Every structure is written in C-alpha cells, then in structure tokens.
Amino acid sequence: MPGPIATRILCDLGFEIIKVEDTGQGDYLRDLYPGTFGFLNRGKKLISMDLKKDGGKIIMKRLIEHSNVLIESFRPGVMDRLGLSYNEVVKINKNIVYCSINGGDDPGHDINYTAMNGIDKTLPVQIADTGAGMMAALRILNSLYKNVNEHIIIDMRHIPFYFNLINIFDKSMINGDYPFYTIYNTMDGSIALGAFEEKFWKNFLEFINIDGPMHDKSLKGKIDEKTSKMSSDDIIKASKIYGFPATKVSKPEVKKSENLRMGSDTVQVLKSIGFNDDDIKSFLADGSIRL
C-alpha cells in the first residue's frame, strides 16, 4: 500500500494522480478491502492497460511525456523488464521524478519489515506501508521544490526503524493497560483519556473524585464504573474546566463511494494526452486497454 498512500497524500495536496492498473485483476485491494481501496484512491483517475502490449507501451510513453512524477512499487527488476527503468524513462522525459518503493531483495509485507527492525508483535497499524508512503511523498515534494529530477528509492526494510516507538517506550504504557492512557465507557459511547503527564492525571482525578497513582492498573475498573454513568459531552466539558486531555471516540462517517471501477477514466485520460476515438478503439480491440 505505500504507493497508494504516497499518491493519496499528493492527491490531497492538489496533484492530478493517474492510477495505472493492469487489464486482468487490477488492484487486489478493490475486492479484498473495498473500504480501504476507496479511501486510498478517492480523487484519482483510474486507467487500465496492458504494459506488455505494444498499445500499452505507446500509451505509457505518452503518459510519461505528460507527467512530472512516476511512482512504482514493483519488485526490483520488473520495471526493467517492462522497458520502464529509470534510465529508459528519463530518455522520454528528462525532467521526471522517478520514485521506486520496494523491499529490495526481501519482498514481503508490513509484518516482515517490522520484524526485521526488532518489533516482535503484530501491530494495529501498517508502519512500513504508511511510513514508506509518507517518506515517498516528502522526497517527491522535495525534488519538485528543488527542481531536481532523480531516482528516489524508498527501501521498506529500513522504514520501521524511524517509527519504532514500540521499543522506545515501555510497551504497556501506551497499549491501554494503565488508567491514565486508555478508553473509558460512557452512557452514550466512550471517551479517550490521554493524561500522560502527572499534572493532567491529578486534574482528572479531581474531576472523577478518585485518588490513586497513575500506574495503578486497578483504578481502571473504578474509573470506568463512574464514567459509564456520565455522558461523553459532560466529560469533555469537564476536561476543559479541570484541564485534562479527553476526546469522544467518534464513529467514522460512511461516505458514498465514488466510481472506482477499473478503467473508469481510461477514455478521459487518453483523450487528455492526445489520443482520438480511433486510437482508443484500436487499443481496445487489441486488448491494450480495458474500459
């Protein structure tokens, strides 16, 4: 997912993003995790083409001519075999920023790259994927700002090192075991308490009318019993008065998905880079594109 994360960031910053999928299965996330696929690809233009066919190569060359950035996340060597290595692409567009995101000689997923960096547990967030996507977006913006065309290589094996807070902090301090940093039930939902500092903890205890040290795990049940009889809004109002960090746990709004069908923008994109109706019919006939 690092490529889609990087391009989602750039899309939110106003870039026009064209997502290229093959004409077969396409992006596996579309069927496996449709919600995630929708989130990552909202606002992008989707085209579907076969890069192994002559028509697909012609289209890709035209896309490169009209682009400022190319991002790919294949295993090393795949772009070379497609004739789309950095050295070949800069012959088409000498000003392009070319970004490769991969795991080098160790292809894998988030759990593999975090394990390489000493994290011995599964995590609820994709550190390597998210970190690599963020790093790629930053490096691309830096290259564009400096007006430097270069081959950016993001090695996912090293990304978790920069985000390895799990092994920096006491693991149990941030996993909800302690009463000062956890989720509490309320009459109408739940609230998140982040009283990490002693002063905030004391302020919270004054409000909740309980006494005890912040590392006393037995306090969680007593506090939850009290918050369960309060509304979330009342606790949030009290947090402003007494001075402790608390927020309501919100329920994400489910938005209607855009049209994220494979190839939904193929015709529009091809026409925008100079192909006409006859060209598109020809590409469609020989299987170079999918609509």
Side-chain angles (χ1 to χ4, degrees):
M1 292 193 297
I5 290 172
T7 49
R8 169 62 198 269
I9 293 171
L10 295 174
C11 187
D12 286 345
L13 292 174
F15 284 66
E16 179 187 45
I17 304 297
I18 298 172
K19 178 180 175 66
V20 178
E21 298 180 76
D22 61 42
T23 55
Q25 178 186 4
D27 190 332
Y28 72 93
L29 280 178
R30 178 184 278 102
D31 297 321
L32 192 59
Y33 300 110
T36 301
F37 180 85
F39 170 77
L40 290 174
N41 294 290
R42 187 176 70 235
K44 301 177 185 179
K45 293 180 179 177
L46 310 184
I47 71 172
S48 178
M49 62 188 195
D50 189 340
L51 294 174
K52 295 179 181 179
K53 291 186 177 292
D54 290 340
K57 295 180 186 297
I58 292 170
I59 296 169
M60 193 64 198
K61 180 180 178 181
R62 187 76 63 85
L63 279 172
I64 291 169
E65 290 173 346
H66 286 77
S67 299
N68 301 109
V69 180
L70 185 151
I71 302 176
E72 62 90 8
S73 52
F74 289 114
R75 294 183 182 184
V78 173
M79 290 293 276
D80 292 8
R81 293 193 293 273
L82 291 171
L84 294 170
S85 67
Y86 172 71
N87 290 333
E88 292 300 319
V89 167
V90 292
K91 292 177 183 177
I92 302 170
N93 182 348
K94 66 178 182 179
N95 296 315
I96 201 163
V97 175
Y98 188 112
C99 180
S100 299
I101 310 172
N102 56 60
D105 296 327
D106 297 296
H109 290 285
D110 216 87
I111 191 171
N112 306 110
Y113 302 127
T114 53
M116 288 179 185
N117 286 268
I119 299 176
D120 59 355
K121 61 189 295 184
T122 56
L123 302 175
V125 293
Q126 301 292 94
I127 288 181
D129 282 347
T130 305
M134 293 170 61
M135 187 73 73
L138 287 170
R139 291 281 304 276
I140 289 166
L141 290 171
N142 183 61
S143 295
L144 293 172
Y145 175 74
K146 292 182 176 180
N147 196 26
V148 175
N149 69 306
E150 60 179 327
H151 186 188
I152 299 168
I153 300 176
I154 305 295
D155 191 331
M156 294 184 65
R157 293 172 295 184
H158 306 313
I159 292 298
F161 171 79
Y162 298 103
F163 296 86
N164 195 358
L165 299 181
I166 296 296
N167 290 333
I168 295 175
F169 289 108
D170 181 335
K171 294 179 182 180
S172 61
M173 288 179 68
I174 57 174
N175 66 5
D177 280 355
Y178 287 112
F180 62 86
Y181 196 88
T182 192
I183 305 294
Y184 288 108
N185 293 309
T186 66
M187 290 173 56
D188 52 1
S190 54
I191 60 107
L193 177 69
F196 207 89
E197 294 81 2
E198 183 74 27
K199 63 179 181 180
F200 292 140
W201 174 246
K202 289 181 177 179
N203 293 343
F204 175 70
L205 290 183
E206 182 183 355
F207 158 68
I208 208 74
N209 196 25
I210 287 179
D211 192 25
M214 61 193 303
H215 293 92
D216 184 353
K217 297 180 181 180
S218 68
L219 290 178
K220 280 185 62 178
K222 297 176 183 178
I223 294 173
D224 196 75
E225 186 177 345
K226 288 205 168 191
T227 59
S228 295
K229 298 175 183 177
M230 305 176 185
S231 72
S232 297
D233 284 338
D234 285 343
I235 296 175
I236 300 306
K237 289 177 183 176
S239 73
K240 310 300 182 186
I241 298 171
Y242 286 84
F244 58 87
T247 51
K248 284 197 288 187
V249 177
S250 62
K251 296 180 180 179
E253 180 183 355
V254 179
K255 297 182 178 180
K256 186 177 180 180
S257 298
E258 299 179 32
N259 178 17
L260 296 175
R261 175 181 56 81
M262 273 184 63
S264 57
D265 301 300
T266 300
V267 172
Q268 177 191 352
V269 171
L270 264 56
K271 287 187 174 182
S272 73
I273 56 177
F275 292 109
N276 58 36
D277 289 335
D278 290 336
D279 295 327
I280 294 171
K281 288 178 182 178
S282 176
F283 292 142
L284 188 60
D286 69 9
S288 294
I289 62 172
R290 173 177 170 178
L291 305 182

